[in-house]
Amino acid sequence: MIWQVSILILYTLSLSVIFIFSIGQAYLIYFYLKTSDEHNEEVITPSVLPIVTIQLPLFNELYVTERLINSVCNLNYPISKLEIQVLDDSNDDSLILTANIIKQKIAEGFNIKHITRDKNIGFKAGALQHGLSNAQGELIAIFDADFLPEADFLHQLIPHFQNPNIGMVQSRWGHINKNYSLLTKIQGFGLDGHFTIEQTGRNKANLFMNFNGTAGIWRKQCISDAGGWQHDTLTEDLDLSYRAQLKGWKFKYVEELTTPAELPIELNAFKSQQHRWTKGAIETSKKMIKEIWKADVGLKKKIFGSLHLLNSYVFLFVFLTSILSLPVLLIKNNSNIPVIYFQLLSVFMIGFIIVTVFYLIANFSKKDSFKAFAKLFPMFLSVSMALSFHNSIAVLEGLFNFKSDFIRTPKFNLSNIKQSFKDNVYINKKLPKSFYVELFLFVYFFLGIVAAFYYNDYGLLPFHLMLFLGFGILNYYALKHQLVKN
């Protein structure tokens, strides 16, 4: 009886934590809808254009470097006002390729510098800080290797800096290869929710928001005032964002400007990115939560800033809820626990409804059809829940100070499913150890489906079906990509 009660308490606690975070999402939905009809303030291009330094942090980007540099050099901005820093920590053949491309651009008249370091200290954050010390521009634009800024990017964002309190302006991410596969469609679907409801809601509600690491512009003074780029977390962008805003700087999110980028098309690359974002957020929360609550920023900003930084812990509670759901089903049908307890748990369905509304609104904001949403949302939710195991490991690593390197996400420069990444030199050619755990979990939740029919109890059946599907998709792509690589 004690172990049954313990499981039910832990299960209820996990559901309660997820519910609390979903309420936070509901608030962002409310404010997004409240402000969606408001006209953005009119911004006028300054009469004197500022000098802009564009930083391009690179590490072994053999397939996308030329595309990136060409895109940046095609920006509609006076060459005399533009400095391009290629911050190259590469240690492979891409270093020579990049050097040759830069020589060509210098011959064309661009002020472009190839900046390398003897030691890759601090990874991306270290490279950005190293370049900042010699940057000529008062504004610093940053693009990761997989991004392709539109020609008018600078003209769209620079006018916002006429407000002297603005320290950073962020554009929305687009996806050049969203239709490559189901995996990329799921990623794009999730990111669209973040860049529609979350970023807009936080910004409009005057809450803390974050620079997304790329496709944005910083005021150089803001970076310096906040203490510069620091590499004690894996999410240097989130860390600097909070330090800057706690110094009083304001951020601006411009949803109307989309900067196209490449989504990871290989499962290990996608999971590596998820691991870095999740673990880094935990590290940043440990570093910044106390600072938020000591600051004079108002209770609302403290609460929602905390929810923002602690959001990655949800993965741990989603995984706990998932694992415990099968024992809960067995307890319900093989114990004397009052049935009303299990019926009361249905209140947590409100959280699922909030998540559904969240992504439904994001879908409609992009003028996608309900039919497209109905097809993709269950897949997205299933994979997101299945990723809770992988991301829970990242949460625990961040929580218990397990240090790891900044693992870059391999780029492919592919947009057509007929194009193979078999010869990509950066991808991991081995099945990760997590594959075997996820295969076990695939079977585990199949047993949950069987149990539903055995007990004639279908309350958790949709939940187990989605987990079964989610782990099935992850296992499918793990095996499929393994066959492609070999």
Side-chain angles (χ1 to χ4, degrees):
M1 185 68 175
I2 294 177
W3 70 269
Q4 294 175 337
V5 172
S6 299
I7 287 175
L8 292 176
I9 290 174
L10 187 56
Y11 183 71
T12 305
L13 175 64
S14 298
L15 285 173
S16 300
V17 172
I18 297 169
F19 181 73
I20 290 170
F21 280 94
S22 67
I23 294 299
Q25 297 295 85
Y27 179 87
L28 295 179
I29 293 171
Y30 162 74
F31 216 88
Y32 176 81
L33 294 175
K34 182 180 177 182
T35 60
S36 61
D37 293 330
E38 295 179 4
H39 297 291
N40 291 320
E41 69 271 21
E42 183 179 0
V43 290
I44 302 172
T45 301
S47 56
V48 178
L49 293 175
I51 296 175
V52 178
T53 295
I54 297 180
Q55 293 187 317
L56 309 177
L58 301 180
F59 180 73
N60 296 350
E61 302 291 1
L62 191 62
Y63 303 102
V64 294
T65 296
E66 184 172 9
R67 183 182 73 179
L68 169 68
I69 294 176
N70 285 337
S71 178
V72 168
C73 288
N74 286 331
L75 288 170
N76 180 20
Y77 204 75
I79 291 182
S80 61
K81 297 280 188 177
L82 203 59
E83 176 194 34
I84 304 172
Q85 292 183 337
V86 181
L87 308 172
D88 196 354
D89 286 338
S90 301
N91 56 18
D92 68 349
D93 293 342
S94 67
L95 197 64
I96 299 172
L97 170 66
T98 302
N100 290 333
I101 296 170
I102 290 172
K103 286 179 182 178
Q104 178 184 339
K105 295 303 178 183
I106 291 174
E108 294 174 8
F110 288 96
N111 177 14
I112 181 169
K113 300 178 177 66
H114 194 191
I115 301 174
T116 59
R117 299 187 293 165
D118 294 332
K119 293 184 179 180
N120 184 12
I121 299 174
F123 305 101
K124 179 181 175 181
L128 292 172
Q129 186 64 28
H130 179 68
L132 190 70
S133 62
N134 298 308
Q136 300 172 4
E138 60 183 277
L139 300 180
I140 312 294
I142 300 171
F143 299 104
D144 282 350
D146 49 335
F147 278 73
L148 296 168
E150 300 287 356
D152 64 345
F153 178 90
L154 296 176
H155 284 293
Q156 288 282 338
L157 296 192
I158 284 176
H160 294 283
F161 286 96
Q162 291 184 90
N163 179 344
N165 296 319
I166 294 292
M168 191 281 298
V169 182
Q170 173 72 52
S171 70
R172 179 190 181 116
W173 291 7
H175 322 295
I176 59 178
N177 62 337
K178 182 176 179 179
N179 293 322
Y180 182 87
S181 68
L182 176 61
L183 188 64
T184 55
K185 288 179 181 179
I186 287 170
Q187 293 176 67
F189 185 91
L191 286 170
D192 286 344
H194 168 72
F195 281 99
T196 301
I197 310 295
E198 287 192 52
Q199 288 292 63
T200 304
R202 289 193 181 106
N203 198 215
K204 295 289 188 180
N206 194 31
L207 303 174
F208 291 115
M209 64 165 281
N210 62 294
F211 170 57
N212 291 106
T214 178
I217 304 177
W218 284 85
R219 194 186 297 272
K220 183 179 180 182
Q221 180 187 350
C222 172
I223 300 176
S224 300
D225 187 40
W229 294 102
Q230 299 174 7
H231 53 84
D232 53 348
T233 75
L234 290 178
T235 45
E236 71 292 324
D237 46 5
L238 182 62
D239 172 32
L240 180 58
S241 295
Y242 270 81
R243 285 188 280 117
Q245 289 170 102
L246 287 172
K247 283 284 187 177
W249 291 97
K250 304 296 183 183
F251 285 9
K252 176 68 179 178
Y253 175 57
V254 182
E255 185 183 2
E256 297 77 25
L257 177 62
T258 299
T259 304
E262 178 181 313
L263 295 163
I265 63 174
E266 192 262 344
L267 182 63
N268 284 334
F270 169 51
K271 292 172 76 172
S272 173
Q273 184 185 70
Q274 288 287 308
H275 181 274
R276 186 176 72 247
W277 288 352
T278 302
K279 182 178 177 180
I282 297 298
E283 293 172 333
T284 303
S285 69
K286 292 169 63 179
K287 179 178 178 179
M288 298 305 303
I289 284 290
K290 289 182 180 179
E291 301 303 317
I292 290 174
W293 284 93
K294 288 192 297 185
D296 183 19
V297 294
L299 182 60
K300 185 175 76 171
K301 290 187 74 169
K302 291 179 180 181
I303 291 173
F304 283 93
S306 299
L307 287 174
H308 184 196
L309 289 181
L310 297 172
N311 187 62
S312 290
Y313 281 101
V314 170
F315 290 115
L316 188 58
F317 290 100
V318 168
F319 183 64
L320 277 173
T321 302
S322 302
I323 288 296
L324 294 175
S325 62
L326 186 51
V328 166
L329 179 61
L330 298 177
I331 291 170
K332 180 182 177 183
N333 290 277
N334 294 281
S335 73
N336 296 321
I337 304 292
V339 176
I340 191 171
Y341 166 79
F342 300 97
Q343 293 172 340
L344 288 173
L345 290 178
S346 61
V347 71
F348 293 111
M349 280 296 294
I350 296 173
F352 172 77
I353 294 171
I354 290 172
V355 170
T356 304
V357 172
F358 181 95
Y359 286 102
L360 186 61
I361 293 172
N363 181 81
F364 286 160
S365 74
K366 295 182 86 273
K367 297 181 171 55
D368 290 339
S369 67
F370 179 77
K371 182 178 180 181
F373 171 82
K375 285 183 178 179
L376 199 53
F377 178 65
M379 299 289 187
F380 163 76
L381 200 58
S382 298
V383 170
S384 297
M385 290 193 298
L387 279 171
S388 64
F389 163 70
H390 173 81
N391 289 343
S392 290
I393 295 173
V395 169
L396 294 174
E397 287 184 3
L399 180 61
F400 294 108
N401 299 318
F402 182 87
K403 294 299 179 183
S404 57
D405 291 342
F406 183 105
I407 306 299
R408 59 175 286 281
T409 304
K411 316 301 187 305
F412 298 87
N413 197 8
L414 303 176
S415 58
N416 190 317
I417 191 66
K418 294 181 180 179
Q419 298 173 288
S420 172
F421 52 83
K422 179 179 180 180
D423 297 325
N424 189 299
V425 298
Y426 299 128
I427 58 176
N428 185 354
K429 296 185 180 297
K430 296 181 180 180
L431 277 173
K433 294 179 181 178
S434 61
F435 165 77
Y436 300 100
V437 179
E438 290 168 346
L439 184 60
F440 166 78
L441 291 170
F442 173 71
V443 176
Y444 180 82
F445 291 111
F446 175 73
L447 295 177
I449 296 170
V450 172
F453 289 95
Y454 178 80
Y455 290 114
N456 198 28
D457 184 344
Y458 305 105
L460 288 171
L461 180 60
F463 188 53
H464 289 149
L465 278 171
M466 285 191 291
L467 285 161
F468 175 72
L469 175 63
F471 282 106
I473 291 173
L474 293 183
N475 290 322
Y476 166 76
Y477 276 108
L479 291 172
K480 178 182 179 181
H481 292 166
Q482 182 69 15
L483 290 173
V484 170
K485 289 178 279 187
N486 295 319

